Amino acid sequence: MKNAFNVVKEKLKQAITSGKFKANEKLPTEDEFIKYFQISRYAIRKALGQLEQENLIYRVQGSGMYVQDWNKKWFRNSESKTVGLICTHIADYIFPKIISHIDSILAKEGYSLLVANTHNDTNRERLRLINMLDSQVAGLIVEPSESAKPNPNLDIYQVIAQNKIPLLFLNASYPEVDFPVIQNTDLQSESELTHYLLNLGHKRIIGIFQIDDRQGVHRLNGFLEAYQKNDIDLSNSSIIMYSSHDNFEVISQKLDLYLNSNQLPTAITCYNDQLAIRIVDKLKKAHYRIPEDISVTGFDDYDGVNYITPSLTTMTYETYAVGQEAGRGILDLIHGKPFNSITHQPQLKIRDSTAAPKK
């Protein structure tokens, strides 16, 4: 097998960093590894040798290989001039502007930004955290991955807290660890947006929400809250839930069930503008008029939604303020100053994609 030792190395590294093998636990013998992986002794020795060089395992003469206490080199490094930023997606949607604003603050103080993304995957988040901590960054800014699910990386966050390594969260946080967070009032804001649609007279609204992130769960709950506060029967409306790992076709097929029914929705409220833009495109290709046939709303006030046809009704996301606050916040934490969590109140932007339903 080509590069078989790399396969073994990565599997063992994952087992060690995920906690399957504990610190100072003895590893299986070479013969046991050969039998398990069905590869040569040379490949096993090369994989173990590289793990030893990376200080993940250590050798006891005449006894075998043991798991190193591999996170013991993580500590607060006040001499470092690098800040780590871990986000779910780097290259698209609203995050490039946030990164730019963070970097502008850090650069003024002589700090550089080390950026990594996770594609909203907790396994990748774990590896990115380990890589950042191994690099002894001065502090960390983290957008949590799959924040609505139980967090398998709490052990690392607890080590970060114990070692007083500066960290702040963006958009969501984990209740099990006490780090400051910069976030939005997602529940209240989606409630306000849905309330606006209800006041226009819409009774058949579809809410489409990503539910593996806390933002999506909060927005879904805000959708429900609007019905409760207005004492309106929810049975004529519907909710479509999806995962961040679902492609658009999954969402599209779920929506088709409602578009092909005899009770056509009069409005669709989307988890974010990125999704809303695709929903608008789908509806227009199916010859629905927006907003005459179906109103559509988004969330985040993404660049360009004011210029598409029709321009999109949405809730704001203050990318400039969030980026500036995150940059200043992590510097305060690095310098031993307090930084308290910040919660933004998005504003409703009414544009051309919404109107009262047809009589």
Side-chain angles (χ1 to χ4, degrees):
M1 182 190 300
K2 186 178 180 180
N3 294 329
F5 75 91
N6 267 329
V7 175
V8 173
K9 175 191 167 185
E10 291 307 315
K11 287 185 177 180
L12 289 177
K13 186 173 184 178
Q14 174 65 21
I16 291 168
T17 57
S18 67
K20 184 177 179 180
F21 292 119
K22 305 298 182 184
N24 300 311
E25 180 181 343
K26 185 177 180 180
L27 290 172
T29 65
E30 285 185 4
D31 287 338
E32 288 170 329
F33 276 138
I34 291 168
K35 183 178 180 181
Y36 180 80
F37 287 109
Q38 294 293 299
I39 59 172
S40 67
R41 188 176 300 276
Y42 168 79
I44 290 295
R45 286 183 174 176
K46 188 169 183 180
L48 293 174
Q50 291 196 2
L51 291 173
E52 189 174 7
Q53 290 175 9
E54 293 180 20
N55 295 315
L56 287 170
I57 63 176
Y58 63 94
R59 188 185 307 273
V60 175
Q61 194 66 33
S63 179
M65 304 295 295
Y66 292 78
V67 176
Q68 184 67 267
D69 191 1
W70 49 274
N71 59 24
K72 65 181 180 182
K73 56 185 173 181
W74 298 348
F75 58 88
R76 185 185 185 113
N77 185 1
S78 58
E79 302 300 316
S80 173
K81 286 291 185 177
T82 301
V83 171
L85 171 60
I86 300 174
C87 52
T88 57
H89 300 283
I90 289 177
D92 59 2
Y93 202 43
I94 61 176
F95 229 89
K97 293 188 77 172
I98 297 174
I99 293 171
S100 176
H101 297 318
I102 293 173
D103 187 56
S104 69
I105 293 294
L106 297 181
K108 292 176 185 176
E109 299 295 325
Y111 285 81
S112 60
L113 196 59
L114 178 61
V115 183
N117 71 351
T118 66
H119 298 289
N120 209 33
D121 178 87
T122 53
N123 289 328
R124 292 186 183 185
E125 178 186 87
R126 189 176 189 87
L127 293 175
R128 302 298 180 265
L129 285 168
I130 290 170
N131 290 339
M132 295 282 188
L133 293 166
D134 283 348
S135 299
Q136 296 184 354
V137 293
L140 283 164
I141 303 170
V142 179
E143 182 189 29
S145 296
E146 298 184 306
S147 55
K149 296 182 177 181
N151 181 8
N153 302 323
L154 279 177
D155 57 330
I156 293 183
Y157 286 112
Q158 287 163 351
V159 171
I160 292 171
Q162 290 165 6
N163 291 340
K164 295 181 169 50
I165 298 169
L167 184 147
L168 69 83
F169 286 124
L170 288 183
N171 296 328
S173 61
Y174 299 115
E176 298 90 347
V177 287
D178 185 22
F179 295 108
V181 57
I182 302 172
Q183 60 188 345
N184 286 315
T185 55
D186 289 294
L187 188 153
Q188 297 91 330
S189 298
E190 183 62 42
S191 179
E192 179 185 350
L193 180 56
T194 307
H195 178 82
Y196 160 71
L197 291 174
L198 292 171
N199 276 355
L200 283 177
H202 291 281
K203 296 294 188 293
R204 297 192 303 275
I205 307 174
I206 294 180
I208 309 178
F209 301 103
Q210 179 179 305
I211 47 82
D212 51 354
D213 286 330
R214 287 182 182 271
Q215 303 101 293
V217 172
H218 290 324
R219 291 173 192 179
L220 185 155
N221 288 332
F223 178 79
L224 298 174
E225 181 185 85
Y227 280 83
Q228 294 166 350
K229 285 187 173 181
N230 286 276
D231 195 24
I232 294 176
D233 185 4
L234 184 63
S235 63
N236 292 320
S237 296
S238 300
I239 295 171
I240 294 174
M241 294 180 283
Y242 70 97
S243 161
S244 59
H245 306 294
D246 291 334
N247 58 41
F248 180 70
E249 187 59 31
V250 172
I251 302 167
S252 180
Q253 289 175 1
K254 291 180 179 180
L255 181 57
D256 283 339
L257 296 175
Y258 300 99
L259 297 179
N260 296 330
S261 72
N262 56 11
Q263 290 291 313
L264 187 72
T266 62
I268 300 173
T269 181
C270 300
Y271 166 67
N272 62 18
D273 294 340
Q274 192 173 39
L275 175 61
I277 290 170
R278 302 195 71 175
I279 294 296
V280 167
D281 182 61
K282 171 183 173 65
L283 294 175
K284 288 167 74 173
K285 286 178 178 177
H287 306 295
Y288 292 104
R289 297 171 302 161
I290 302 167
E292 293 86 354
D293 297 325
I294 303 176
S295 291
V296 179
T297 67
F299 201 115
D300 292 334
D301 203 17
Y302 176 51
D303 285 350
V305 297
N306 192 32
Y307 305 105
I308 65 171
T309 304
S311 57
L312 189 67
T313 295
T314 187
M315 302 297 293
T316 59
Y317 184 107
E318 302 297 334
T319 55
Y320 176 80
V322 169
Q324 295 276 304
E325 290 161 357
R328 288 193 292 267
I330 196 62
L331 288 175
D332 282 348
L333 294 172
I334 289 169
H335 296 145
K337 300 176 183 178
F339 178 76
N340 296 320
S341 295
I342 297 173
T343 301
H344 289 273
Q345 174 68 59
Q347 301 299 306
L348 176 62
K349 293 288 186 181
I350 300 173
R351 299 194 179 104
D352 298 333
S353 67
T354 50
K358 293 185 298 184
K359 299 297 184 180

